[in-house]
Amino acid sequence: CDFVKDVAQEVGFTVLVPSGAPEFLSCLDQFDPNAIFLDLLMPGTDGIEVIRRLAEARSEAHLLLTSGQDYRVLHTAKTLAEHHGLKVAGILEKPIRLHCLESSLRSIRAAGQEITEGALEKGIADRQLVMSYQPKFRIDDKDQLHIESLEALVRWQHPHLGVLLPERFIGLAEKSLLMLDLTDYVIETVFRQQSEWLRSGSAVPVA
């Protein structure tokens, strides 16, 4: 908890650390947080229940979800939160890596800051955009979990604003002449990654 608090303060957040879920829920209206770091395994309270309470309160905060449980638990919680209209900024598996936490927090801080066409053009040219691959699973008749395919998601590793999600720059690309350049960049990057996987003996469809 101190680790997360220290990183958040370094990024520029004012941090409140409640003693438990009841205190957290009671101070939501007063504190009106921009970001909420939520551990799904909290003493005496289910993190899923907190998500439901946040939805009832129509929270506008960006959620960072973490857990030491199976990765599927985090994805289930993320899906539930988004279904209830909450903003999920990211999911972080334990042990939490410093650069992942810092990038996620910087991305939240960057929300609302203006992104220019020139900055996006430079970002594409300098290969600041990176791909994240989210697995889609299937369960066979023996209840074994298999990766069926991967969904390619583009992120912008902005040199000053941290990791930016697509909603921060896709609209700008569509309004300018950069959408074609961005599309070509994504296709080229995905094909290059697939070629590397094939050389290593892996073949997973990418959408």
Side-chain angles (χ1 to χ4, degrees):
C1 188
D2 287 340
F3 164 64
V4 175
K5 176 183 177 182
D6 291 344
V7 175
Q9 288 177 330
E10 288 179 8
V11 170
F13 285 95
T14 299
V15 182
L16 174 66
V17 183
S19 58
E23 181 186 348
F24 164 72
L25 293 170
S26 68
C27 69
L28 263 182
D29 292 336
Q30 299 175 0
F31 196 64
D32 190 22
N34 181 43
I36 295 173
F37 185 87
L38 177 59
D39 192 332
L40 298 178
L41 287 177
M42 293 184 294
T45 306
D46 183 3
I48 299 299
E49 179 59 29
V50 174
I51 287 175
R52 292 195 181 98
R53 295 288 297 276
L54 288 171
E56 290 173 2
R58 300 183 181 277
S59 174
E60 291 292 326
H62 295 80
L63 295 184
L64 281 177
L65 305 177
T66 188
S67 175
Q69 294 179 296
D70 189 281
Y71 193 66
R72 288 171 293 184
V73 174
L74 277 170
H75 273 287
T76 300
K78 176 178 181 290
T79 301
L80 176 65
E82 291 175 337
H83 175 74
H84 283 295
L86 298 174
K87 301 174 183 176
V88 181
I91 54 178
L92 300 171
E93 286 186 280
K94 291 183 178 180
I96 299 170
R97 298 179 181 178
L98 172 61
H99 75 277
C100 292
L101 175 60
E102 190 175 56
S103 293
S104 297
L105 291 172
R106 289 192 185 281
S107 179
I108 295 172
R109 286 278 295 171
Q113 297 187 31
E114 183 180 1
I115 302 297
T116 66
E117 182 179 337
L120 179 56
E121 183 176 14
K122 178 174 173 55
I124 296 172
D126 292 351
R127 306 196 69 83
Q128 295 172 4
L129 279 72
V130 297
M131 302 305 300
S132 173
Y133 298 92
Q134 180 171 300
K136 293 185 176 181
F137 298 99
R138 66 176 175 84
I139 301 177
D140 63 22
D141 54 6
K142 296 181 180 180
D143 292 333
Q144 297 294 314
L145 195 66
H146 303 274
I147 295 178
E148 189 171 55
S149 64
L150 298 173
E151 182 181 4
L153 305 171
V154 65
R155 303 285 188 265
W156 183 0
Q157 183 66 61
H158 195 283
H160 305 299
L161 302 179
V163 179
L164 303 182
L165 300 179
E167 52 263 32
R168 292 296 313 281
F169 56 89
I170 292 297
L172 175 62
E174 291 174 339
K175 293 176 183 178
S176 66
L177 299 177
L178 294 175
M179 195 62 201
L180 182 59
D181 291 340
L182 177 59
T183 302
D184 289 344
Y185 178 92
V186 168
I187 292 174
E188 175 197 343
T189 304
V190 170
F191 279 178
R192 185 186 302 113
Q193 180 62 72
Q194 282 188 301
S195 297
E196 292 178 7
W197 285 333
L198 285 171
R199 285 195 295 270
S200 66
S202 300
V204 181
V206 178

